[in-house]
Amino acid sequence: MNKLNKKGIYSALLTPYDKNGQIDFKALKKTVSFEKSKGVEGFYCCGSSGEGLLLDKEERMSIVENVAEEVGDTPFIVHTGSLSTRLSTELSIHAQKCGASAISMIPPIYYNYSLDEIASHYLNVANKIDIGVIVYNIPQFTGISLTKNDNFLENEKIIGIKHTSVNLYELERMIQQYPSKTYFNGFDEIYLSSLAAGATATIGTTVNICPKLLIAIRSDFENGKMKEALEKQHLLNDLIETLVSTNVFPAAKYCMELQGLTMGSCREPFAPLNQKQKIQIESSLEKIKNYL
């Protein structure tokens, strides 16, 4: 098992497909190797960026197995969130067997579960494994906003929070309430702000594309160079604005294609990019060429 990097910059790893829409495992391993060479300090598999909820159980397990073969001693976290506790448990046990540093889960969605049911979901999975659980708080996608008042977070098997929310007040409150946990920023566009709020690590889509830029932001922050850090965050946000306006996950894959990697399209119902969108992305990527 690779030790969790509590201050790391983790790539929310994209999932490459071949021309038939099947996972391209050769391209996946090449992506991991490429990103490591660019300074990525950890990987997060099968999350939102990796289209985890569009993959079946066997595909998710195969991704983890292939990533585990390629990462070496770089830590990797596996997102095992699903609609059912049973499936999340299976995926989590498998991730542990593959050497994952930790697993992470969105809360169970679709049905309007009570907070007690959500807590039981996390703890029932946590009790079946010997590695830590990172709660994936992403209310924009799940409709569920976890806060410091969710007492299950105090459980020692819950080792961290992936806070994918612009509500930095709630992040600061959770850090104050549970200071021993590791806090991961989840929105790249507020990376610098999240560091100021107390997050120590980040897991992001643009880490695939330009890890050197996020590393530079962190370095400036740690050295008290706030003006320089903010300038770099502005640069990152210009890219993010383009990605979001053109459909963020297909756009992120195109950014990787422009750097020589095979990605393919995202799975339906995601739509392919049109030529106008591609031109916008190309122009935006050119502006950060010094950080590629």
Side-chain angles (χ1 to χ4, degrees), residues 36 45-46 48 65 86 142 144 155 187 193:
K36 284 177 63 179
C45 312
C46 301
S48 303
E65 290 162 9
R86 177 177 292 186
T142 65
I144 299 166
N155 188 285
F187 273 145
S193 301

Side-chain angles (χ1 to χ4, degrees), residues 3 11 24 36 62-63 74 91 96 101 135 139 149 166 207 269:
K3 188 176 180 181
S11 167
D24 187 334
K36 284 177 63 179
S62 294
I63 286 173
T74 304
L91 292 170
Q96 177 177 307
S101 309
V135 171
N149 298 319
V166 295
V207 178

Side-chain angles (χ1 to χ4, degrees), residues 257-284:
E257 294 263 3
L258 292 171
Q259 296 185 72
L261 295 166
T262 301
M263 283 287 130
S265 302
C266 289
R267 282 196 170 164
E268 294 180 334
F270 282 112
L273 298 172
N274 59 42
Q275 194 58 35
K276 180 180 177 181
Q277 290 171 321
K278 288 182 177 181
I279 291 171
Q280 288 178 269
I281 295 163
E282 290 166 12
S283 176
S284 190

Side-chain angles (χ1 to χ4, degrees), residues 183-221:
Y183 292 87
F184 299 81
N185 172 61
F187 273 145
D188 299 347
E189 54 266 45
I190 56 170
Y191 177 45
L192 178 59
S193 301
S194 76
L195 292 174
T200 59
T202 197
I203 299 168
T205 306
T206 63
V207 178
N208 290 276
I209 302 164
C210 52
K212 292 180 181 179
L213 183 50
L214 285 97
I215 291 169
I217 292 170
R218 181 183 63 189
S219 177
D220 285 342
F221 174 81

Side-chain angles (χ1 to χ4, degrees), residues 227-282:
K227 179 182 178 182
E228 292 86 348
L230 189 56
E231 288 172 352
K232 293 179 177 68
Q233 183 70 61
H234 289 327
L235 197 60
L236 180 61
N237 286 358
D238 288 342
L239 172 66
I240 291 169
E241 193 168 44
T242 299
L243 298 183
V244 170
S245 68
T246 55
N247 204 347
V248 59
F249 301 126
K253 282 190 165 183
Y254 187 57
C255 285
M256 301 302 283
E257 294 263 3
L258 292 171
Q259 296 185 72
L261 295 166
T262 301
M263 283 287 130
S265 302
C266 289
R267 282 196 170 164
E268 294 180 334
F270 282 112
L273 298 172
N274 59 42
Q275 194 58 35
K276 180 180 177 181
Q277 290 171 321
K278 288 182 177 181
I279 291 171
Q280 288 178 269
I281 295 163
E282 290 166 12

Side-chain angles (χ1 to χ4, degrees), residues 48 53 79 81-83 105-113 118 122 135-146 162 164-165 187:
S48 303
L53 296 182
H79 174 251
S82 72
L83 294 179
M105 296 190 296
I106 57 168
I109 57 174
Y110 184 72
Y111 298 104
N112 291 321
Y113 296 111
I118 292 170
Y122 278 104
V135 171
Y136 188 174
N137 185 34
I138 182 166
Q140 177 179 315
F141 283 7
T142 65
I144 299 166
S145 184
L146 300 173
K162 180 179 187 283
T164 309
S165 168
F187 273 145

